[in-house]
Amino acid sequence: MARTPGRRNVATAGALLGIVVVMGGLAYASVPLYRWFCQVTGFGGTTQVAEAAPTELHERSVTVRFNADVNSALPWRFQPVERSVKVRLGEERLAFYRAKNLADRPVTGTATFNVTPAKAGPYFSKLDCFCFTEQTLEADRSVDMPVSFYVDPELAEDRNLDDVTTITLSYTFFAAPGQPESRDSARIAAK
């Protein structure tokens, strides 16, 4: 039995609707899937999250530099307390970043992060970090925010990382979704 043009149109419309639904689902899931992929592989300098530091230290050391940036929509000043530290592989360290809210109202920010060189990402592990949650600062307040980390001793076994003597940990703070636009840009620019 031959299909009529009406039935073909309905079948085509159903197939196209199915494709749209599948594509929408993939688009919706792409951000969490990409984040998971980056955390598992260290792709793009994504760091790892660990429960505890290794018990053994390696004799090799690296310098960890700290970098801080703020998106222009967030009325904060943000900087590392120390510019760099030298750490032995496997050594747990605690570093601080200082943030100050320059606005006349509470503001919530969220941080993105990575390490460079990107190939060091799978070996850089955070035990605890301010970047795991949104941070709210009251008007004109400062806070020192900690990050506890270590560089995995397995880095020494990766011949591709023999040239790595410095790892830069970078954060960029953005306004959390739903934050009102800053009304005090002239006052902030003067600070």
Side-chain angles (χ1 to χ4, degrees):
M1 172 185 263
R3 292 178 109 178
T4 62
R7 283 187 155 177
R8 281 191 299 222
N9 288 344
V10 169
T12 301
L16 290 174
L17 180 62
I19 290 171
V20 167
V21 168
V22 167
M23 296 296 279
L26 288 174
Y28 181 76
S30 65
V31 171
L33 287 174
Y34 181 74
R35 185 175 296 136
W36 172 80
F37 172 77
C38 290
Q39 287 176 341
V40 168
T41 65
F43 181 76
T46 300
T47 62
Q48 306 301 302
V49 177
E51 296 289 322
T55 55
E56 304 267 332
L57 299 182
H58 194 277
E59 68 271 358
R60 181 174 167 187
S61 294
V62 295
T63 299
V64 177
R65 292 184 341 175
F66 304 106
N67 180 62
D69 295 299
V70 179
N71 179 272
S72 61
L74 182 66
W76 284 11
R77 186 177 306 126
F78 178 59
Q79 63 204 34
V81 172
E82 293 180 274
R83 288 286 171 206
S84 65
V85 294
K86 190 166 191 115
V87 298
R88 287 179 60 190
L89 301 184
E91 176 185 3
E92 183 179 343
R93 289 300 295 258
L94 184 64
F96 290 89
Y97 281 77
R98 183 166 293 140
K100 180 171 183 171
N101 181 359
L102 304 174
D104 60 2
R105 60 183 167 68
V107 177
T108 301
T110 185
T112 61
F113 54 86
N114 72 336
V115 296
T116 53
K119 64 186 179 179
Y123 300 98
F124 195 98
S125 295
K126 293 180 191 172
L127 299 163
D128 196 18
C129 183
F130 61 87
C131 61
F132 294 163
T133 60
E134 291 181 347
Q135 301 295 318
T136 300
L137 293 179
E138 296 299 320
D140 203 38
R141 296 287 183 188
S142 293
V143 66
D144 285 352
M145 297 183 288
V147 55
S148 176
F149 67 92
Y150 68 90
V151 180
D152 196 314
E154 302 246 338
L155 178 136
E157 307 306 318
D158 189 335
R159 296 297 105 193
N160 188 38
L161 292 150
D162 285 348
D163 62 332
V164 174
T165 59
T166 301
I167 298 172
T168 302
L169 175 60
S170 295
Y171 290 98
T172 302
F173 254 106
F174 295 88
Q179 294 293 299
E181 289 294 317
S182 178
R183 297 180 310 272
D184 42 15
S185 57
R187 184 177 74 82
I188 291 169
K191 286 192 174 190

